[in-house]
Amino acid sequence: MALLALSMTACSSDNEQTPQKQIDMNLAPATSITYGEKQNIALPSSVLDASDLKISLDFSLNENVKVNASENLNDKLSKAVTVSKESGAISVNTTLLYPNGAVSSAGIKIPDSYKIIVNASSESQNFQGKQTIDFKIIPAKLIIKGIDNKTSIPVGYVIYGDAANFELETPENITANMNWAIENPSSIGTEVTFSSNVLKFASNAGDPDKKAEKAYDVTPILLKDGFTVASTTFRVVFIPKIKFFYGTYYPEYDLTILLNNLHIALSNGYVSAAPAFSPENYKSSFVINGIKKDGQTFTDAESIFSINEKTGSITVKKSDLLTEGAYEITVKAVTTTGLEFLTTLTLNMSKV
């Protein structure tokens, strides 16, 4: 009996297994990723050292909503969030998902963040680890060609009568199978439509009389499965036609009198009248853009010609260096809206 008891004790000791060691995964904390980007979450070296490392991802903490006719959210997550032991990281491909908090045209809401349970284990090193990572995808920003997109609300100015078409660009990595739309169509009316990625304003947009300034705040969006993945808000301002020339303008009659080809005495000096500029509230600054003499480029090495930057009045200094001929001065006006306009003033100089 004593021998049997000893034998049973020995067997029990041999079959006893060492409890698995619980390790900290030390994965990166919650982060925000812009839609269209890819991000890698590095796995710790203590985990990667195991040659028989097993890693699994669990998406059960997310509400498994139906995102399109054939897929649920967890189907998308299983393709978008993957593990590569070769690179030693968990890879997140945002183009396969949707921005968090987005609500589709069908009323389906994406969770406010994505939660992924990461499980890691190794038999050879006898450990297991578990951690939930939390990340959020934010919508990408659309780019409007030809407009300064760095401001908080980009602004585009259109003169009545000019075509008002704005081409939109998506950031890199955002591809096809998406639809363009306007987020706030009811607030801007039927004057604005989409043609592919070009936002178009109708010819009747703005003030019916085309005399008053009128602004539209437009929010174009890019949709995938009815969810907004990229957007921007910008302002389009329609303004009256700019009148800019040397002479006189009578706005009440829409009457123009050109005084842009004058004869003056050579070498005596001269100060011109300010150019006409209407509407006056758009007037900002003036600069000489170039000078020609008798059709050939004239280099004003002695700074004989100058301009009043605020009024546009041209001054010719008294000088014996000029010779007879027609001096055509091209003047550029920059409006308060950043638009640029050119006009000319020709001074025909001859001896008295």
Side-chain angles (χ1 to χ4, degrees), residues 243-249 255-260 274-277 343:
K243 301 283 188 179
F244 173 47
F245 57 89
Y246 282 86
T248 306
Y249 177 61
L255 177 63
T256 296
I257 299 175
L258 290 176
L259 297 170
N260 62 352
F277 192 95
T343 194

Side-chain angles (χ1 to χ4, degrees), residues 294-316:
D294 298 329
Q296 302 298 315
T297 300
F298 175 80
T299 302
D300 187 16
E302 301 298 323
S303 300
I304 298 171
F305 296 88
S306 62
I307 191 168
N308 185 315
E309 293 181 359
K310 293 185 180 297
T311 67
S313 173
I314 298 289
T315 296
V316 184

Side-chain angles (χ1 to χ4, degrees), residues 221-254:
I221 56 177
L222 193 60
L223 300 172
K224 182 178 79 170
D225 295 330
F227 297 97
T228 299
V229 298
S231 69
T232 192
T233 296
F234 75 108
R235 183 168 295 148
V236 178
V237 183
F238 285 84
I239 63 175
K241 284 188 175 181
I242 301 293
K243 301 283 188 179
F244 173 47
F245 57 89
Y246 282 86
T248 306
Y249 177 61
Y250 298 94
E252 63 272 30
Y253 307 113
D254 195 20

Side-chain angles (χ1 to χ4, degrees), residues 81-104:
V81 186
T82 56
V83 179
S84 171
K85 287 187 280 186
E86 289 73 21
S87 64
I90 297 169
S91 176
V92 180
N93 183 353
T94 61
T95 62
L96 302 179
L97 292 169
Y98 312 91
N100 291 98
V103 179
S104 75

Side-chain angles (χ1 to χ4, degrees), residues 37-306:
E37 295 179 351
K38 295 182 180 180
Q39 188 171 102
N40 290 330
I41 301 170
L43 295 167
S45 57
S46 58
V47 169
L48 293 171
D49 286 343
S51 59
D52 61 343
L53 175 65
K54 293 181 180 178
I55 297 180
S56 64
L57 303 177
D58 182 350
F59 308 115
S60 60
L61 293 180
N62 304 285
E63 184 181 354
N64 193 23
V65 296
K66 196 169 186 63
V67 293
N68 58 43
S70 60
E71 292 176 298
N72 288 357
L73 183 59
N74 284 356
D75 300 324
K76 291 284 192 180
L77 281 165
S78 64
K79 297 173 184 176
V81 186
T82 56
V83 179
S84 171
K85 287 187 280 186
E86 289 73 21
S87 64
I90 297 169
S91 176
V92 180
N93 183 353
T94 61
T95 62
L96 302 179
L97 292 169
Y98 312 91
N100 291 98
V103 179
S104 75
S105 51
I108 299 167
K109 183 183 177 183
I110 299 298
D112 291 331
S113 68
Y114 293 114
K115 293 178 173 59
I116 316 297
I117 302 171
V118 183
N119 296 293
S121 63
S122 166
E123 289 187 11
S124 64
Q125 296 193 14
N126 198 38
F127 72 72
Q128 66 177 10
K130 181 179 181 180
Q131 182 180 337
T132 299
I133 58 174
D134 195 337
F135 65 89
K136 185 172 184 176
I137 298 175
I138 59 176
K141 186 174 177 62
L142 296 171
I143 305 299
I144 306 119
K145 291 184 72 173
I147 290 182
D148 181 5
N149 289 267
K150 295 178 183 177
T151 58
S152 56
I153 299 182
V155 181
Y157 291 92
V158 179
I159 297 173
Y160 285 116
D162 291 351
N165 301 329
F166 297 90
E167 184 179 354
L168 286 96
E169 292 182 333
T170 61
E172 293 182 11
N173 303 322
I174 297 180
T175 53
N177 300 323
M178 298 189 190
N179 302 312
W180 293 95
I182 298 171
E183 186 178 77
N184 56 334
S186 59
S187 65
I188 56 179
T190 58
E191 291 99 335
V192 190
T193 56
F194 252 122
S195 176
S196 184
N197 65 323
V198 178
L199 198 68
K200 295 185 175 184
F201 284 79
S203 58
N204 64 338
D207 174 42
D209 297 327
K210 304 190 183 306
K211 292 181 179 180
E213 183 178 295
K214 183 172 180 179
Y216 294 84
D217 287 337
V218 189
T219 303
I221 56 177
L222 193 60
L223 300 172
K224 182 178 79 170
D225 295 330
F227 297 97
T228 299
V229 298
S231 69
T232 192
T233 296
F234 75 108
R235 183 168 295 148
V236 178
V237 183
F238 285 84
I239 63 175
K241 284 188 175 181
I242 301 293
K243 301 283 188 179
F244 173 47
F245 57 89
Y246 282 86
T248 306
Y249 177 61
Y250 298 94
E252 63 272 30
Y253 307 113
D254 195 20
L255 177 63
T256 296
I257 299 175
L258 290 176
L259 297 170
N260 62 352
N261 197 326
L262 306 175
H263 292 266
I264 63 172
L266 180 67
S267 305
N268 279 359
Y270 174 77
V271 178
S272 79
F277 192 95
S278 179
E280 187 131 339
N281 58 302
Y282 293 110
K283 180 168 34 174
S284 178
S285 63
F286 302 89
V287 65
I288 292 177
N289 203 54
I291 304 174
K292 289 182 179 180
K293 182 196 174 188
D294 298 329
Q296 302 298 315
T297 300
F298 175 80
T299 302
D300 187 16
E302 301 298 323
S303 300
I304 298 171
F305 296 88
S306 62

